[in-house]
Amino acid sequence: AGVEPTLRLAVEVIFPTWLLLECFEVFARRFPETHLELEESVLGGTDEAILSRRVDLAISPSVPVGFAGEPLLEVRFIPVAHPDHPLHRLGRSVDYRDLRRHRQLVIRDSGVQRKRDGGAWLGADQRWTVTNKATSIQAATMGLGFAWFADPIIAPELESGILKPLPMAGAAERRATLYLITADSAFAGPATLTMAEILRSRTAMKCNVREISTLDR
């Protein structure tokens, strides 16, 4: 019937999983016979998935040369740790000299060349680098280190209080824009086009104009 039997996506791990699954649920009602293959990628791994054309759609913080991307979501990264972490017990604002003395949790670039790490600052003398965001979040909730996380992916932990933003001295946030990229827009089929529209509409519905809120869950 001209519908793709399989739809392949590479989605940067900082895109909220709960929102992505909502989009999948809406898509499945329209195209129940189309298989979904999701590659949860980090930094260079997303670029590689697009450049090799092993995916039909991607959500990425960068747009490779030769491809067009449309802004989908701006995400805020904040430094956090368990409330009982020593950094929260200092009783004052935290600076980068304090951070240097404690373990930082970092998510590794999933690209083959692994040129980048998913951390806003990499100056800690101790560092644990993992390949899965769930592992990094779990380690932080156990008090094993501090990390910069995109606040949408730790919304439950922030709401429950098991993770708490660090009281940094000066600006400590960073932001990233996520782009929706169609690998081959000229030959995109109905399933690809529909999924792209669902991602646009659901993200706009659930998010503020520029930034997702942790209260929108």
Side-chain angles (χ1 to χ4, degrees):
V3 176
E4 304 95 311
T6 301
L7 179 60
R8 303 161 300 167
L9 303 95
V11 177
E12 187 78 17
V13 295
I14 62 175
F15 188 81
T17 302
W18 58 268
L19 178 54
L20 182 64
L21 293 177
E22 283 187 9
C23 292
F24 283 6
E25 182 182 20
V26 174
F27 175 85
R29 292 198 291 266
R30 297 278 300 277
F31 295 91
E33 303 301 326
T34 297
H35 301 297
L36 291 177
E37 293 185 0
L38 172 63
E39 182 175 332
E40 295 173 288
S41 49
V42 182
L43 299 171
T46 315
D47 289 350
E48 290 174 7
I50 300 166
L51 290 167
S52 66
R53 298 184 184 275
R54 67 174 182 261
V55 296
D56 306 295
L57 284 172
I59 297 176
S60 173
S62 62
V63 182
V65 175
F67 293 82
E70 55 182 294
L72 185 65
L73 175 67
E74 184 174 278
V75 179
R76 179 177 66 133
F77 290 81
I78 55 174
V80 299
H82 188 277
D84 292 333
H85 191 279
L87 287 168
H88 278 303
R89 296 203 298 264
L90 292 175
R92 56 171 173 80
S93 296
V94 175
D95 59 31
Y96 287 99
R97 289 173 297 179
D98 299 317
L99 296 184
R100 192 178 299 278
R101 293 190 283 269
H102 294 273
R103 182 183 300 115
Q104 183 178 5
L105 307 170
V106 179
I107 302 174
R108 184 187 297 278
D109 187 336
S110 64
V112 173
Q113 297 185 21
R114 294 182 175 178
K115 294 180 178 179
R116 295 173 284 175
D117 286 309
W121 174 83
L122 297 174
D125 293 334
Q126 303 176 59
R127 192 186 313 159
W128 286 1
T129 302
V130 301
T131 58
N132 189 290
K133 68 179 178 183
T135 304
S136 184
I137 292 170
Q138 181 67 31
T141 62
M142 292 172 64
L144 300 177
F146 71 91
W148 265 264
F149 290 119
D151 59 0
I153 70 172
I154 56 168
E157 290 79 12
L158 291 173
E159 291 168 5
S160 68
I162 198 169
L163 287 180
K164 183 179 176 181
L166 290 171
M168 295 295 296
E173 297 179 2
R174 69 183 181 96
R175 295 173 184 265
T177 299
L178 292 175
Y179 297 89
L180 179 61
I181 303 167
T182 304
D184 195 343
S185 56
F187 296 97
T192 301
L193 296 175
T194 298
M195 178 64 86
E197 180 52 37
I198 292 170
L199 287 165
R200 290 187 202 98
S201 61
R202 297 293 292 189
T203 301
M205 182 189 308
K206 294 288 185 176
C207 306
N208 295 327
V209 175
R210 294 289 295 170
E211 175 183 323
I212 193 163
S213 168
T214 58
L215 301 179
D216 280 334
R217 302 186 70 258

